[in-house]
Amino acid sequence: MSFTKNVEPLGAPGVARQLAAGASSANTALTDGVYRVSIRAVGADIRFEIGSGAQTANANTSHFIGKNERLDFAVPFKSNIAIIRDASTDGTLELTELV
């Protein structure tokens, strides 16, 4: 069987970011036109918020990603992501914009 077109539902890797998750919320704007991302928590559990415009992450109530977990999902137009560590250990959120 031969295919002439490939279908990629998640997209191809674009900009890669390493975001530091510490004791305070840190916001980062994603590249305009990005509608999908892949994130991975490294070194610690992390909390995050994604939305249009600047965001603030809360260590108790924001979305959770566990240490070494990866999540892939769609994001709104002109997204920002805010991150904060979940407990007392700093970590890194590896983020790949999918285009």
Side-chain angles (χ1 to χ4, degrees):
M1 182 174 264
S2 175
F3 294 96
T4 57
K5 292 185 179 180
N6 293 325
V7 176
E8 177 49 60
L10 286 177
V15 174
R17 301 176 187 272
Q18 292 181 326
L19 308 175
S24 299
S25 178
N27 181 76
T28 300
L30 302 181
T31 304
D32 284 350
V34 168
Y35 291 97
R36 295 166 294 189
V37 295
S38 180
I39 61 174
R40 182 171 182 259
V42 178
D45 296 339
I46 295 173
R47 297 282 181 160
F48 68 95
E49 290 291 334
I50 295 179
S52 297
Q55 302 292 303
T56 302
N58 181 290
N60 298 310
T61 60
S62 291
H63 303 290
F64 178 85
I65 182 170
K67 179 180 174 182
N68 298 323
E69 182 179 8
R70 178 177 296 279
L71 298 174
D72 302 321
F73 48 88
V75 297
F77 180 68
K78 293 196 175 196
S79 288
N80 280 237
I81 183 168
I83 62 171
I84 192 169
R85 67 185 188 200
D86 181 61
S88 60
T89 303
D90 289 352
T92 301
L93 188 75
E94 296 282 351
L95 183 143
T96 300
E97 297 178 353
L98 301 169
V99 294

